[in-house]
Amino acid sequence: MDLKKLEDNLSELIAEEGYSLYSCAYSKGKSESVLALVVDREDPISLNDLEALSGKVSDLLDRLDPIDEAYTLDISSLGAEKPIAIEDIPKNVGRYVNVHLSYPYKGLNSLEGYLRESPTPGHIVLEYKEKNRTLKADLEIKDIDKARRAVEI
């Protein structure tokens, strides 16, 4: 099986359906082999969305027949707390996010809250809670080493 060629074919179909292929992996087990795909898109992805996409991917796999042995197709999404590329942080204004910092901000290595604005290139304003207070942090994007969407509790 040529995984790269298979991934290219899957990426094309998945893109036509409005998603991007985040990862593609095949693991051959003793009792079960699995083709695992992780997809993403800007809008939230429901189980119904994954089910519909799974049917289209299955049809393509049936036509291509790229894997000789029996296997299970597993399609999932990055989920509600998906990673955000550093360069895409400003595109997430208005969203609840978690950022991990290269250098602590007021003693904190990470902050979680609403990304309120990106007033200038390279800067963001994050509104976060500390105990019962709502505070704003003016952060330089270059000081963020990881970011992800978060779920507010």
Side-chain angles (χ1 to χ4, degrees):
M1 171 186 57
D2 182 352
L3 188 60
K4 177 63 178 139
K5 184 176 178 184
L6 176 59
E7 191 173 333
D8 290 344
N9 285 316
L10 291 169
S11 289
E12 187 177 319
L13 170 73
I14 289 168
E16 288 171 6
E17 296 301 317
Y19 301 85
S20 61
L21 182 60
Y22 184 79
S23 69
C24 175
Y26 181 73
S27 60
K28 191 171 182 176
K30 290 180 183 177
S31 62
E32 185 177 285
S33 298
V34 177
L35 177 61
L37 308 178
V38 179
V39 298
D40 191 25
R41 72 176 180 194
E42 195 59 37
D43 295 330
I45 301 173
S46 71
L47 287 175
N48 289 339
D49 295 332
L50 291 175
E51 184 179 346
L53 182 61
S54 180
K56 293 183 184 221
V57 169
S58 290
D59 290 345
L60 176 65
L61 291 170
D62 287 346
R63 284 193 310 274
L64 296 176
D65 197 22
I67 302 170
D68 294 332
E69 61 269 354
Y71 64 95
T72 299
L73 174 62
D74 178 17
I75 299 181
S76 60
S77 71
L78 287 172
E81 294 195 345
K82 67 182 178 180
I84 301 170
I86 299 300
E87 63 273 9
D88 291 339
I89 292 172
K91 295 177 185 173
N92 285 272
V93 168
R95 290 202 165 108
Y96 195 78
V97 300
N98 177 289
V99 295
H100 188 271
L101 306 167
S102 304
Y103 307 101
Y105 176 84
K106 296 185 178 182
L108 301 170
N109 291 326
S110 65
L111 294 170
E112 190 166 290
Y114 284 98
L115 180 54
R116 290 300 180 203
E117 61 180 309
S118 182
T120 61
H123 285 84
I124 61 166
V125 175
L126 184 74
E127 184 180 277
Y128 67 101
K129 295 216 182 248
E130 187 177 280
K131 298 186 181 181
N132 292 332
R133 299 181 319 168
T134 300
L135 304 170
K136 288 187 178 180
D138 184 4
L139 304 171
E140 291 189 47
I141 292 175
K142 70 177 181 61
D143 292 337
I144 299 171
D145 59 14
K146 286 191 295 187
R148 63 175 169 80
R149 290 187 183 171
V151 176
E152 185 177 14
I153 299 174

